[in-house]
Amino acid sequence: MPGLYPGRTRHIHVKVQAPGRPVLTTQLYFPNEPRNSTDSLFDPALLMNVQQVGSARRATFDFVLNVPGTPPSPSPTATSSPSPTPTGGTWQPYQPYAVGAQVTYGGLAYACQIAHTSLPGWEPPNTPALWQRR
């Protein structure tokens, strides 16, 4: 079970990637945590299903990927991943950012610390684990 730290509810970080698509970095949350109601990043759609299994607990979460694709072909076909956002530009949601990518948000400059695909609520001032102010 993750530890507590100021301002956040218990959560775990996960990365999911469909073939040939950018990596989605997100957080999954535990049900019935008192801090869920006060964490500005908490999203009830990201609650895990936690079950007691003997003396341990098991958590599951179903990721549903809406990825356009083609039927499998008889031979493998190489696919390329989208390029991460280059250095520069204004932060935008739903964009892949590579480590070192630099963006502006609210007139301030930030550098990406962990490669991820951005989501609303993950603006640089709200996610210091992802963005460092320059």
Side-chain angles (χ1 to χ4, degrees):
M1 184 67 130
L4 290 170
Y5 58 92
R8 295 302 317 276
T9 190
R10 291 181 203 266
H11 63 279
I12 59 171
H13 296 250
V14 296
K15 292 180 182 248
V16 180
Q17 185 175 27
R21 304 295 295 176
V23 173
L24 167 68
T25 303
T26 190
Q27 300 174 32
L28 298 178
Y29 300 96
F30 294 87
N32 305 316
E33 280 289 318
R35 292 187 184 181
N36 285 353
S37 63
T38 59
D39 188 326
S40 64
L41 297 179
F42 172 75
D43 182 346
L46 297 173
L47 279 169
M48 294 179 288
N49 178 16
V50 179
Q51 298 175 335
Q52 193 72 34
V53 179
S55 62
R57 288 189 256 175
R58 177 177 55 205
T60 59
F61 184 86
D62 292 329
F63 287 92
V64 179
L65 304 175
N66 183 9
V67 177
T70 58
S73 62
S75 59
T77 304
T79 59
S80 62
S81 297
S83 300
T85 301
T87 299
T90 303
W91 181 91
Q92 296 291 320
Y94 309 109
Q95 296 297 314
Y97 289 104
V99 172
Q102 296 194 19
V103 298
T104 58
Y105 184 84
L108 299 172
Y110 295 87
C112 181
Q113 302 300 297
I114 300 172
H116 66 284
T117 298
S118 60
L119 293 174
W122 288 16
E123 293 82 4
N126 296 338
T127 53
L130 298 176
W131 297 99
Q132 181 178 39
R133 190 168 161 198
R134 292 285 169 190

